[in-house]
Amino acid sequence: MSEQCQHFNQIHTHHANTNGCEECLKTGDEWVHLRVCLTCGHVGCCDQSKNRHATKHFNTTGHPIMRSGERGETWGWCYIDREMFDPI
């Protein structure tokens, strides 16, 4: 992990709250890829999905770091620093 990012202290979980995008599951919508908030475990859809719930979650909560929710992917992203980490 990068020593430049000061937001790793906000990582509290690596576990996803659900097996799909939380908001899309409620509305019956579809997603492309999943992202997991490392502060609270919220699962949102990626920016290639029409609803962009992961980014909306960041904009609403300010939770800075997420990881890919896709099987076999080990990367993460800090929204504030706009920095990618692999592995996270």
Side-chain angles (χ1 to χ4, degrees), residues 10-81:
Q10 295 183 42
I11 294 175
H12 298 295
T13 186
H14 282 270
H15 299 286
N17 294 340
T18 61
N19 290 324
C21 175
E22 295 181 30
E23 290 82 4
C24 289
L25 287 170
K26 290 176 186 171
T27 63
D29 233 332
E30 297 181 1
W31 57 84
V32 178
H33 299 287
L34 298 173
R35 309 294 181 239
V36 179
C37 174
L38 296 182
T39 300
C40 70
H42 172 272
V43 179
C45 51
C46 70
D47 285 353
Q48 294 154 336
S49 301
K50 70 177 186 177
N51 294 307
R52 300 176 163 191
H53 286 125
T55 297
K56 288 179 181 177
H57 176 75
F58 163 70
N59 289 330
T60 300
T61 64
H63 296 167
I65 299 181
M66 65 83 170
R67 68 167 175 82
S68 172
E70 298 302 308
R71 185 179 306 262
E73 293 185 359
T74 59
W75 63 272
W77 175 259
C78 178
Y79 285 101
I80 295 171
D81 292 333

